[in-house]
Amino acid sequence: MHIRPRRNRRTPAIRSLVRENVLSPADFILPLFLHEDSVDTPIASMPGVSRWSLEGLVKEAGEAHALGVPAVVLFPKIEESLKTPLAEECHNDDGLVPRAIRALKAAYPTLCIITDVALDPYNSDGHDGVVMRDERGDLQILNDETVEILCQQALCHARAGADIVSPSDMMDGRVAALRSALDAEGFDQLSILSYSAKYASAYYGPFRGALDSAPKEGDKKTYQMDPGNAREAVREVMLDEAEGADMVMVKPAGPYLDIIARIRECTTLPVAAYQVSGEYLMIESAAAAGWVDAKAVALESLMGIKRAGADMILTYYAKRAAGWLRE
């Protein structure tokens, strides 16, 4: 008897029958950048990605949704004049994000709208939390004070019609606080997608350029995770699950496939993974130089993320990949 695994690879039909994972447009969440300008602006650090006006945002989201992408997540570029140490603009009911939510919901009632809950786009210090200096003059991020503001931000998004709020700040206890605040205001049906395992990664550079939200001083290593740690990711997920998270996330995705796989094994919650701006830019740059095929490499990278255990993937390729999969 000859054991020949290649028999299962012999024809396209057989390969299709035995394929363990299949990519679908329904796997994708499209991150969208928006600003107050009336003109859509290409982002130099992220070829093929733009900051959208409200009109452009609605059009782009609609095109992605028509291709089968079920959800978008919103990231605002806030005008410098509106940034403050306590990020008050983040919970302005007439602010950029609430207006965008209302416009998207009016245009596409079936589109799932996810909002980022964090202070860095609104904070004049560029951090995800409220900043102070201790008696030695060292920079400190105030955890509990930040969480109080995040609750106000989430409620603002809920009132505007968001389907899912997604805290990306990495403050301790914020999922429980958000769940309590949302439930108290009658938003008990609104879901929380927690950035549970968000690493202090060098892959975020192009994103911060897109929003002009880099820290003015210091870095984010006191609240985002150390890239060398894996067990800590499990601990963060278990805490968020206990606090009431409906879904958990690993960010970045590609360099952390082992973390995605480990999280998939330790929770029954849906697992999201974020293919971040640096991952996207590396593929795009190599393709622009003629070294790789963008379509083939992008789809393979997305398959790797799904194969590792992700139920949903935040990716700048969402719209293009959905189109490729329909070809």
Side-chain angles (χ1 to χ4, degrees):
M1 181 178 67
H2 298 287
I3 306 300
R4 296 185 182 275
R6 286 182 55 194
R7 293 186 188 117
N8 287 348
R9 307 172 199 149
R10 189 165 56 85
T11 69
I14 294 173
R15 291 195 297 272
S16 178
L17 286 171
V18 301
R19 187 167 294 127
E20 298 172 33
N21 293 279
V22 179
L23 279 176
S24 161
D27 296 325
F28 304 142
I29 297 169
L30 176 62
L32 291 171
F33 300 105
L34 60 153
H35 60 184
E36 288 284 6
D37 292 0
S38 59
V39 177
D40 304 326
T41 306
I43 298 171
S45 60
M46 299 178 66
V49 179
S50 294
R51 293 189 202 95
W52 299 104
S53 63
L54 284 182
E55 182 179 350
L57 179 82
V58 170
K59 180 176 182 291
E60 180 72 1
E63 291 176 358
H65 197 38
L67 289 168
V69 177
V72 298
V73 58
L74 305 179
F75 295 103
K77 183 181 186 301
I78 300 302
E79 296 179 5
E80 286 296 322
S81 62
L82 296 176
K83 296 182 181 183
T84 59
L86 295 180
E88 287 90 350
E89 181 64 17
C90 78
H91 50 82
N92 175 7
D93 284 324
D94 294 317
L96 179 58
V97 169
R99 284 185 281 117
I101 296 169
R102 291 192 288 268
L104 288 169
K105 275 299 178 187
Y108 315 111
T110 60
L111 178 67
C112 178
I113 300 173
I114 305 170
T115 60
D116 181 54
V117 175
L119 303 189
D120 50 329
Y122 306 88
N123 187 335
S124 51
D125 296 294
H127 277 280
D128 292 51
V130 176
V131 174
M132 70 160 289
R133 292 190 180 279
D134 61 21
E135 62 275 7
R136 296 181 302 179
D138 295 332
L139 206 67
Q140 300 291 334
I141 306 299
L142 302 181
N143 191 94
D144 296 353
E145 291 83 349
T146 296
V147 170
E148 291 181 12
I149 300 172
L150 297 175
C151 289
Q152 296 179 63
Q153 184 181 21
L155 287 169
C156 172
H157 296 174
R159 288 190 293 268
D163 298 291
I164 299 172
V165 292
S166 191
S168 64
D169 56 287
M170 291 299 287
M171 298 297 115
D172 293 337
R174 88 274 208 213
V175 172
L178 290 172
R179 186 73 274 162
S180 178
L182 290 166
D183 290 355
E185 294 295 323
F187 297 110
D188 56 302
Q189 296 300 308
L190 193 145
S191 299
I192 297 175
L193 166 56
S194 177
Y195 285 67
S196 300
K198 181 178 181 181
Y199 285 84
S201 173
Y203 284 82
Y204 302 150
F207 176 98
R208 290 174 182 164
L211 294 185
D212 191 22
S213 61
K216 299 296 188 293
E217 184 180 347
D219 55 40
K220 301 190 177 188
K221 294 180 180 179
T222 63
Y223 47 99
Q224 294 179 357
M225 287 179 52
D226 188 320
N229 292 355
R231 294 190 300 273
E232 185 182 16
V234 174
R235 182 187 187 199
E236 290 281 5
V237 166
M238 293 175 68
L239 286 169
D240 283 357
E241 183 170 356
E243 290 180 20
D246 300 286
M247 314 163 202
V248 295
M249 188 192 302
V250 176
K251 179 182 181 183
Y256 294 87
L257 297 180
D258 62 316
I259 305 300
I260 297 171
R262 186 176 289 210
I263 297 307
R264 175 69 286 155
E265 291 298 318
C266 79
T267 182
T268 59
L269 292 180
V271 176
Y274 198 143
Q275 185 184 54
V276 300
S277 57
E279 297 174 71
Y280 170 83
L281 182 59
M282 287 194 298
I283 297 172
E284 288 297 291
S285 298
W291 296 330
V292 301
D293 179 287
K295 172 183 172 182
V297 173
L299 290 176
E300 184 176 341
S301 70
L302 293 168
M303 178 59 82
I305 295 165
K306 182 169 184 176
R307 188 183 64 245
D311 300 291
M312 61 199 88
I313 305 170
L314 292 79
T315 174
Y316 302 101
Y317 282 113
K319 180 182 170 184
R320 288 162 65 187
W324 290 331
L325 292 172
R326 286 190 164 205
E327 291 176 358

